[in-house]
Amino acid sequence: MEKLHCAVVDIANERLDVSAAIEFVSDPGFGGIAMFVGRVRDMNHGRRVAGVSYDLFDVLAVNIFKEIASDTLHEFDGKLKIFVTHAKGRLGIGDLAVVVAVGSPHRDEAFRACRMVIEKVKHQAPIWKQEHYEDGNSEWSEGCSLCEVHDHAQHAGEHASGH
Amino acid sequence: MKIDLKLFAAFQDLEPTGQIELELPDGSLVADLRLAIDDYGRQHWPKFRPGLLKASAFASETTLLRDRDAIPADGRMALLPPVNGG
């Protein structure tokens, strides 16, 4: 039984699929599904947004999605199915940017695991967002340094292995 | 060794081809590559921001690398500015 689905979706070819996410994480033994759907909004820091472009380092992004999903699965003793997809390319207002879904026996694990996955995807995966404003300007959004994330993870690993 | 460096986001704005080639001594570390990019940026990119490079990470095709790590033998590397998914 496949428990993890992780992918980058080039929106020039297809769109993110919420129904596919629900179907993937469904299981006869699972009574709960939690989902996070990220959409493009029309305003950021007081500026009218016309759209956004996402750039990804595809191969590494999928590897990191898999690491995040595997770690989360381990954290919850394997009793989950996890679906992670992120869009690549130019999106308009309301378009789907990211879909994370988690199925589990009960709602508490589903909510907590879903939150864990989306937070790590936002902070650890090689994804960059460029906002296009209605005034014609575009800017890359401020982000999280992977140096700090990596150092923190490395430190946590060294700490854990010492006990 | 020849380094093929992929660029993303704000760095791609500086170098629209999205990649540069650099030459480093065999056995160089990621920290050496960081210094080489700093030199390259100051010489070739009028809008280069050293602070952005300082906040950026490095990766091979498959994994994140730290400054003290050796550059993979194939020289294929990526420069990853701060990320902002979701």
Side-chain angles (χ1 to χ4, degrees), chain A residues 25 29-35 69 72-82 100-118:
Chain A
V25 302
F30 289 175
I33 291 175
M35 178 181 288
T72 305
L73 190 65
H74 181 71
E75 183 96 6
F76 288 85
D77 297 326
K79 294 174 184 171
L80 301 174
K81 285 185 180 176
I82 301 173
V100 173
V102 177
S104 71
H106 306 287
R107 68 183 181 284
D108 181 52
E109 297 94 314
F111 277 125
R112 287 193 289 128
C114 187
R115 180 69 187 259
M116 188 179 292
V117 171
I118 184 59

Side-chain angles (χ1 to χ4, degrees), chain A residues 89-106:
Chain A
R90 177 147 183 165
L91 303 177
I93 304 304
D95 286 347
L96 305 191
V98 59
V99 174
V100 173
V102 177
S104 71
H106 306 287

Side-chain angles (χ1 to χ4, degrees), chain A residues 22-39:
Chain A
I22 293 173
E23 186 174 336
F24 182 83
V25 302
S26 294
D27 185 278
F30 289 175
I33 291 175
M35 178 181 288
F36 176 81
V37 178
R39 303 178 72 190

Side-chain angles (χ1 to χ4, degrees), chain A residues 54-57 59-60 63 86 98 122-123 125-129 140-147 150-151 154 158, chain B residues 6 8-10 12-13 34 54-57 59-66 68 78 80-86:
Chain A
Y54 283 101
D55 191 14
L56 290 88
F57 186 10
V59 178
L60 183 62
N63 279 349
H86 200 291
V98 59
K122 288 178 78 76
H123 297 140
I127 303 170
W128 300 276
K129 178 167 70 175
W140 292 100
S141 299
E142 295 291 323
C144 299
S145 172
L146 290 176
C147 303
H150 196 208
D151 284 348
Q154 188 78 12
E158 287 166 356
Chain B
K6 282 180 188 284
F8 295 94
Q12 196 163 21
D13 290 347
R34 188 183 293 278
K54 194 174 180 183
S56 297
S60 66
E61 291 282 325
T62 55
T63 190
L64 289 174
L65 296 170
R66 296 163 63 89
R68 68 188 184 210
L80 313 178
V83 300
N84 196 337

Side-chain angles (χ1 to χ4, degrees), chain B residues 12-84:
Chain B
Q12 196 163 21
D13 290 347
L14 299 173
E15 191 84 30
T17 60
Q19 58 184 42
I20 58 173
E21 287 184 9
L22 295 168
E23 191 67 34
L24 289 180
D26 287 350
S28 291
L29 304 180
V30 171
D32 301 317
L33 177 58
R34 188 183 293 278
L35 289 173
I37 296 168
D38 189 67
D39 282 346
Y40 184 95
R42 290 174 194 274
Q43 290 177 34
H44 295 89
W45 298 330
K47 294 184 178 177
F48 174 60
R49 289 186 287 141
L52 183 64
L53 176 61
K54 194 174 180 183
S56 297
F58 289 86
S60 66
E61 291 282 325
T62 55
T63 190
L64 289 174
L65 296 170
R66 296 163 63 89
D67 276 25
R68 68 188 184 210
D69 292 330
I71 295 171
D74 65 6
R76 294 163 67 89
M77 293 286 290
L79 176 58
L80 313 178
V83 300
N84 196 337

